[in-house]
Amino acid sequence: MSSVIEGVRFSVLDRSRVREGHSAGAALRDTVALAREAEALGFHRFWVSEHHGVPGVAGSAPTVLAAAVAAATTTIRVGTGGVMLPNHRPLVVAEQFGVLESLFPGRIDMGLGRSVGFTDGVRRALGRGKDDAEDFAAQLRELLGWFRGTSPTGVHARPSEGLSVPPFVLAMGEGARIAAEAGLPMVVGDLRDRDRMRRATDLYRERFRPSPWASEPYVVVSGTVAVAGTPEEARRLLVPEAWSMAHSRTHGVFPPLPPAERVEALTMTAKERGLYEAGLAGHIAGTEEQVAEELRTVLKETQAQEVLVTTSTYDRPALLDSYRRLARLVRP
């Protein structure tokens, strides 16, 4: 295993998932605490996400949360997975990351996505429509221009101009082409759809153009990795998220994470059961030996330089144990 993962970085993305019976504030504090743990375990970077109007996700302001994470840690890289660029003016995004980089020099990453919100109501509240995602490549160019001082407006982004904050593109489908043509590192998920992931990484490498930001392709693969003492324990880590996804697709609302035992006692409709079982499938989950084998397969298939682990569950001690087991596995 060591020969395959030698030189591969392992990082963490936490989506600040709210748990049943716990507040959004608790979810955000859990994220900061997990970042400290990830740093102690030797993970390379720790990222936070952007979601709006979702009852089960507390992380709506990723640059604000990234500042809290960076302030609570000392060495781990901190960033966003990602800031959804179509939701914001590129100048404001540049200023926010310029402030972060100025406060925590050499530790900040700028992960950028092209989503414009999950529902029509959220998009209206943000003043955005689905078509705004189509302008992502232009928005990306404008954003990077603020750091390089090339804006044709005559305005200068302060304190961003002249700083170097590594940009990453969160890519599914069209995003791989945009990342390649912009010459930026690419984050691709999820691990459950290996064929789609391979197509994205192949397209990215074929079309990559060197840029001031990256001289060669850099691929980060992302998804759920759950490690436990037994396959059954690892599977239970997946249960709360799988049910929340199934519930969102049948009720239109993504809820807080329930305890696994409550989900396992539920009576589900046939549609709910099908979505729930699908949500449990395809992740990397099992004992350390099983996870090692799966990681070896993924890394051989994708030739990725980094794995971004995105596991969420209700049981925080079990989640921490999973990350500790993973850290022992990849950094023995």
Side-chain angles (χ1 to χ4, degrees):
M1 180 65 192
S2 60
S3 63
V4 177
I5 68 166
E6 186 176 352
V8 174
R9 294 163 166 165
F10 281 78
S11 300
V12 177
L13 166 65
D14 191 65
R15 286 169 292 163
S16 304
R17 294 288 275 109
V18 180
R19 295 179 291 154
E20 281 187 3
H22 298 262
S23 68
L28 296 169
R29 288 187 289 273
D30 284 344
T31 292
V32 175
L34 180 59
R36 291 196 192 100
E37 184 75 18
E39 179 175 76
L41 291 171
F43 286 96
H44 181 62
R45 55 181 115 240
F46 189 94
W47 282 6
V48 297
S49 63
E50 175 181 339
H51 295 82
H52 299 283
V54 181
V57 182
S60 57
T63 54
V64 176
L65 184 52
V69 168
T73 54
T74 56
T75 58
I76 195 168
R77 296 196 64 85
V78 176
T80 55
V83 164
M84 297 301 142
L85 193 50
N87 292 339
H88 311 281
R89 293 301 309 166
L91 171 60
V92 175
V93 175
E95 290 170 337
Q96 290 172 345
F97 280 98
V99 169
L100 285 169
E101 176 63 21
S102 298
L103 289 170
F104 309 101
R107 293 180 56 206
I108 301 300
D109 300 320
M110 185 167 57
L112 305 161
R114 61 196 292 265
S115 171
V116 286
F118 294 126
T119 67
D120 289 338
V122 168
R123 288 190 288 270
R124 283 196 300 272
L126 291 169
R128 296 293 184 265
K130 287 184 178 180
D131 291 344
D132 286 298
E134 302 307 312
D135 296 328
F136 179 67
Q139 294 158 355
L140 189 60
R141 285 192 298 273
E142 180 183 343
L143 172 61
L144 298 181
W146 289 116
F147 288 92
R148 300 182 66 81
T150 58
S151 172
T153 62
V155 175
H156 296 273
R158 308 293 186 199
S160 315
E161 189 173 308
L163 298 180
S164 181
V165 182
F168 295 74
V169 172
L170 277 61
M172 288 302 285
E174 181 70 3
R177 181 189 62 79
I178 293 170
E181 293 179 355
L184 301 180
M186 177 184 74
V187 182
V188 59
D190 64 38
L191 290 168
R192 291 185 299 168
D193 194 339
R194 306 287 175 82
D195 288 340
R196 187 179 183 187
M197 183 177 282
R198 281 194 298 269
R199 288 194 300 272
T201 55
D202 288 347
L203 174 66
Y204 170 69
R205 289 194 173 97
E206 288 168 7
R207 297 200 177 190
F208 184 85
R209 301 173 184 171
S211 75
W213 301 97
S215 59
E216 57 188 27
Y218 188 90
V219 173
V220 183
V221 293
S222 70
T224 295
V225 181
V227 196
T230 67
E232 293 75 23
E233 289 171 338
R235 185 182 185 277
R236 293 192 91 229
L237 282 167
L238 308 176
V239 164
E241 185 82 6
W243 170 248
S244 290
M245 289 297 297
H247 186 277
S248 72
R249 291 176 181 174
T250 50
H251 296 79
V253 177
F254 196 77
L257 292 175
E261 56 268 22
R262 188 174 79 73
V263 176
E264 291 167 341
L266 288 173
T267 300
M268 301 183 194
T269 66
K271 184 176 182 180
E272 287 172 339
R273 175 65 64 179
L275 290 167
Y276 169 66
E277 294 293 344
L280 291 171
H283 303 287
I284 295 180
T287 63
E288 291 173 33
E289 293 77 12
Q290 290 170 325
V291 167
E293 183 63 28
E294 280 289 303
L295 285 173
R296 180 166 55 196
T297 299
V298 169
L299 292 171
K300 282 183 175 179
E301 289 177 350
T302 63
Q303 297 297 302
Q305 288 98 328
E306 187 169 343
V307 178
L308 181 66
V309 182
T310 63
T311 311
S312 296
T313 195
Y314 179 90
D315 188 335
R316 297 300 292 190
L319 179 64
L320 290 175
D321 180 65
S322 176
Y323 275 117
R324 289 170 186 147
R325 289 174 182 270
L326 178 63
R328 290 198 299 269
L329 182 65
V330 302
R331 297 286 180 268

